[in-house]
Amino acid sequence: MDPAFLSDPTSKEFKEWRVSNLSGTSMTEIHVVISTMVLSYWCWKCKTAASFHRSPAEFAGRGWSHFLFECAIFLAPMFLVLTDSYVLPTIAVLAAASVYFRWQIPDPPYRHDKWAPDPRAEEFKKSYVPGKVTAKPYLSIYRAEMMLLTCFCILAVDFNVFPLKFAKVETFGTSIMDLGVGSFVFSAGVVGVKAFLPRYVDGKPKTTSLSYRLKAGLWTAFPLLALGVARLVLTESVDYQKHVSEYGTHWNFFFTLGFLPIFVPLGLCVYSDLRVTSTVLLAAYQAMLSVTPLGDWLENADRTDLVSANREGILSFAGYLAIFLMGMSLGQEILPDARTFKERWMRLVSVLGVWATACISYLLLNFVLGVQPSRRFANAPYCFWVAGFNSAMIWLYMLIEEDVDSKLPPEMARAGRPKGYDMPAIVEAVNINSLTTFLVANLLTGSVNMLFETLLCGSVAAYSILAGYTLLFMLPALLMYRSGVRLR
């Protein structure tokens, strides 16, 4: 190709070249940057709990002051660390604020008879309902923060303020955006298992049939596949830039998301154990990549027909399906309500076990067998990295919630907490309408790229546009949340 396009940053060819052949950054840097998400939650949780304990009767967790605090604690750090500005100072400020607010939370009344039954445990056990799945605040906040990060990155990468080391790598390597894609699928699996949990009728568990699950899967898949087709038509009609080696010539992420609900029931019909199914699928797929010529074909083949033109999207689906199943496996452990306090604490051990298994598997594949992680292939090291990272994140969110909520009175052990105590409004709104938020973010990303020459924007203009974009993609979710409307 004529290199003349390199002198024109407004050309489609330059924009495609700019995000091609990237090598990413280290896992350590990725984990340090994203640790601000956990610190944001810790700071908000401790501040909210301290306010509640100071004056329970007057506590009001919703209002403009709370909304501004939530924006400052969840959105501002994201801006700073994802533009590679003040990463360590941001972490230091969040950690110091968290420790300060945690120190302000009073301890529960001292139990003089330590052998007497714990009133919190008794109240918790009494309120248990078999088969009930109540909202888990730590899980909702984890999913919403991952959504906010993903939506921010898909536009930020088009500006010079966003470091390209955080953008998707070409073939082998790791980056924040690579992790974001896998985390999106993993978190969808964690909550997606709810449809496969036994339903209780007259106190007895009742499982759903394969036909029912397939119908439900098709109903879920249809809007996602329709969005995939719509995105394909729109991007082709306006000659929008695209990175072909990401998913292929015609494939996009909506197609991957759309086929998951169809293939999951079919996979579980063959073997119902989620851990075994995901492991066997991933082992078979990695063996095909490593032992057969499939890996070389996937990386170097010409795009001569429909299959070869979309080979990344088609074949990486096996890896994303394994990630989804691993997420479902974890969701099966933590989503149903715990019977007792002990069982709830044991879930921390269970999640830690998932993290340890994923880490050991990654280390064996990467350091012993020499297989590098690849988001483009969605190979086994990449899938285990995604599973390990997300398990560790969920474990940290669980630990924060368990620690802070242990200061609550017994009658609030499971429920009865005031509105605004468990979840911030902006996070809850994004979580319950996550797909709507993702769709709006994609539409706004295309609109901004058509209205502005993003690569010519200075730092002030880039930050202003990104700030406006962030508020706009959250606005529909906030309005629907305020109106009591829930789509997806």
Side-chain angles (χ1 to χ4, degrees), residues 42-52 54 69 101-102:
W42 189 26
C43 185
W44 176 86
K45 185 73 173 175
C46 291
K47 166 68 167 60
T48 304
S51 299
F52 171 75
R54 190 181 306 117
F69 176 71
F101 290 129
R102 176 64 182 81

Side-chain angles (χ1 to χ4, degrees), residues 81-360:
V81 300
L82 289 179
T83 54
D84 207 21
S85 305
Y86 311 110
V87 175
L88 294 180
T90 301
I91 291 174
V93 169
L94 285 173
S98 301
V99 171
Y100 171 73
F101 290 129
R102 176 64 182 81
W103 177 71
Q104 289 189 325
I105 304 173
D107 289 326
Y110 179 73
R111 291 171 57 204
H112 297 282
D113 185 0
K114 64 180 181 179
W115 300 108
D118 185 347
R120 293 172 63 246
E122 291 293 313
E123 188 69 30
F124 192 82
K125 187 176 180 180
K126 197 190 309 180
S127 60
Y128 172 71
V129 178
K132 189 175 182 180
V133 179
T134 55
K136 307 294 184 293
Y138 67 86
L139 198 55
S140 299
I141 293 175
Y142 147 76
R143 293 187 68 238
E145 286 205 88
M146 291 306 303
M147 177 60 69
L148 288 172
L149 179 142
T150 302
C151 291
F152 180 81
C153 287
I154 61 176
L155 178 62
V157 69
D158 295 325
F159 290 90
N160 287 319
V161 296
F162 186 84
L164 290 179
K165 62 182 178 180
F166 293 160
K168 293 175 182 175
V169 303
E170 185 67 23
T171 303
F172 295 103
T174 56
S175 74
I176 286 179
M177 291 191 72
D178 288 328
L179 181 60
V181 172
S183 299
F184 192 103
V185 174
F186 187 91
S187 65
V190 172
V191 296
V193 76
K194 184 177 180 180
F196 297 86
L197 295 174
R199 294 180 300 164
Y200 279 76
V201 179
D202 298 328
K204 297 180 180 179
K206 182 181 179 182
T207 56
T208 53
S209 63
L210 175 62
S211 60
Y212 175 86
R213 292 177 178 180
L214 280 174
K215 288 177 184 176
L218 289 169
W219 181 254
T220 303
F222 177 74
L224 291 167
L225 295 175
L227 289 172
V229 173
R231 189 182 192 280
L232 172 62
V233 172
L234 287 172
T235 52
E236 292 294 331
S237 62
V238 299
D239 199 28
Y240 192 76
Q241 71 266 15
K242 58 183 175 182
H243 192 189
V244 175
S245 64
E246 186 177 347
Y247 294 108
T249 306
H250 311 102
W251 197 278
N252 59 62
F253 191 51
F254 284 110
F255 288 133
T256 300
L257 293 176
F259 284 115
L260 285 172
I262 300 173
F263 279 82
V264 166
L266 296 175
L268 294 182
C269 180
V270 177
Y271 196 78
S272 60
D273 191 300
L274 290 163
R275 290 193 185 92
V276 173
T277 304
S278 59
T279 303
V280 170
L281 172 63
L282 204 51
Y285 176 54
Q286 184 59 51
M288 291 175 66
L289 290 176
S290 301
V291 178
T292 71
L294 183 65
D296 182 65
W297 176 81
L298 188 55
E299 186 174 359
N300 302 309
D302 294 328
R303 302 182 187 276
T304 56
D305 53 40
L306 192 63
V307 173
S308 61
N310 298 284
R311 58 185 183 270
E312 290 90 353
I314 295 171
L315 291 178
S316 67
F317 179 77
Y320 287 116
L321 179 58
I323 291 174
F324 191 84
L325 291 171
M326 286 190 281
M328 289 180 67
S329 174
L330 182 62
Q332 203 172 41
E333 297 285 337
I334 65 176
L335 211 57
D337 288 359
R339 293 179 178 83
T340 62
F341 251 24
K342 182 179 179 181
E343 182 179 325
R344 193 165 77 169
W345 274 100
M346 286 304 296
R347 289 183 179 185
L348 283 165
V349 179
S350 179
V351 176
L352 206 58
V354 174
W355 170 79
T357 304
C359 284
I360 292 170

